[in-house]
């Protein structure tokens, strides 16, 4: 074989090998960078969802204690109503602050589920503002609140790629109306 042709083939082989190595290395590094970026945002999204859920859950817990004070539920501890209203206002402020992070980092389906959940909590509050709230209306609204909570968690778990079975169904044994003394 002609020495010039052999040299050209050798140089072409080296160039092809270098190009292949460059492409493989670039692809691997790009994949690694995307995976690290995704993990970083997943971590922040997890924190945002947890903090938001805790803020809304605190509001739900306060609503439940107000309901217990107004004899709508038989479980738990009664609470001073003025203190509870103040705590609800503070809880709403906290929830609104956490909501901004959910809006910034969350997936659209999770954001929609989160919005539906906190709007339902507002509905609970409206029922409880009445001096004599309707017990069946409150219990139905509370059940809907818990259903929407589970929907939020289901979307958040999907968004965060948490692989597991669906959340267990809710039971409502603790929401039995208080018994009335017999006569």
């Amino acid at each position: 074989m002609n020495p010039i042709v052999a040299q050209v083939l050798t140089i072409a082989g080296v160039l092809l090998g270098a190009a292949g190595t460059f492409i493989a290395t670039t692809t691997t590094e790009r994949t690694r960078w995307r995976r690290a970026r995704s993990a970083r945002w997943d971590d922040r999204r997890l924190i945002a969802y947890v903090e938001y859920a805790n803020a809304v859950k605190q509001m739900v817990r306060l609503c439940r204690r107000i309901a217990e004070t107004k004899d709508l539920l038989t479980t738990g501890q009664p609470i001073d109503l003025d203190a509870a209203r103040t705590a609800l206002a503070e809880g709403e402020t906290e929830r609104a602050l956490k909501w901004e992070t959910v809006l910034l980092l969350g997936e659209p389906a999770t954001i929609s589920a989160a919005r539906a959940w906190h709007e339902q909590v507002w509905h609970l509050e409206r029922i409880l503002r009445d001096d004599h709230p309707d017990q069946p209306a409150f219990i139905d609204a509370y059940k809907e609140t818990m259903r929407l909570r589970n929907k939020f968690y289901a979307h958040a778990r999907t968004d965060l790629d948490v692989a597991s079975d669906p959340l267990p169904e809710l039971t409502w044994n603790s929401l039995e109306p208080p018994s009335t003394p017999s006569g």
Side-chain angles (χ1 to χ4, degrees), residues 140-183:
D140 288 345
Y142 185 82
K143 287 178 179 180
E144 179 65 6
T145 301
M146 294 298 96
R147 188 189 69 75
L148 291 171
R149 180 200 63 175
N150 279 4
K151 185 175 178 184
F152 165 74
Y153 281 128
H155 282 289
R157 290 163 63 88
T158 299
D159 181 16
L160 296 168
D161 202 25
V162 175
S164 70
D165 292 333
L167 295 172
E169 290 294 317
L170 296 170
T171 59
W172 303 108
N173 299 338
S174 65
L175 294 180
E176 295 302 317
S179 59
T180 56
S182 56

Side-chain angles (χ1 to χ4, degrees), residues 36-97:
R37 184 184 65 175
S38 176
R40 183 179 69 233
W41 287 118
D42 283 349
D43 289 345
R44 290 190 176 156
R45 195 174 7 249
L46 170 65
I47 291 166
Y49 289 164
V50 167
E51 289 179 349
Y52 170 80
N54 288 337
V56 176
K57 184 62 179 181
Q58 181 62 27
M59 293 178 66
V60 171
R61 191 68 200 116
L62 285 165
C63 287
R64 188 173 175 124
R65 290 193 64 199
I66 292 169
E68 291 157 352
T69 302
K70 292 187 173 200
D71 292 327
L72 300 174
L73 298 174
T74 59
T75 60
Q77 301 274 331
I79 190 170
D80 176 71
L81 292 178
D82 290 333
R85 288 184 186 107
T86 300
L88 267 174
E90 292 168 0
E92 172 56 24
T93 299
E94 182 70 16
R95 184 217 54 84
L97 291 172

Side-chain angles (χ1 to χ4, degrees), residues 93-109:
T93 299
E94 182 70 16
R95 184 217 54 84
L97 291 172
K98 303 302 183 189
W99 174 240
E100 295 305 316
T101 309
V102 171
L103 282 175
L104 181 65
L105 298 176
E107 291 293 321

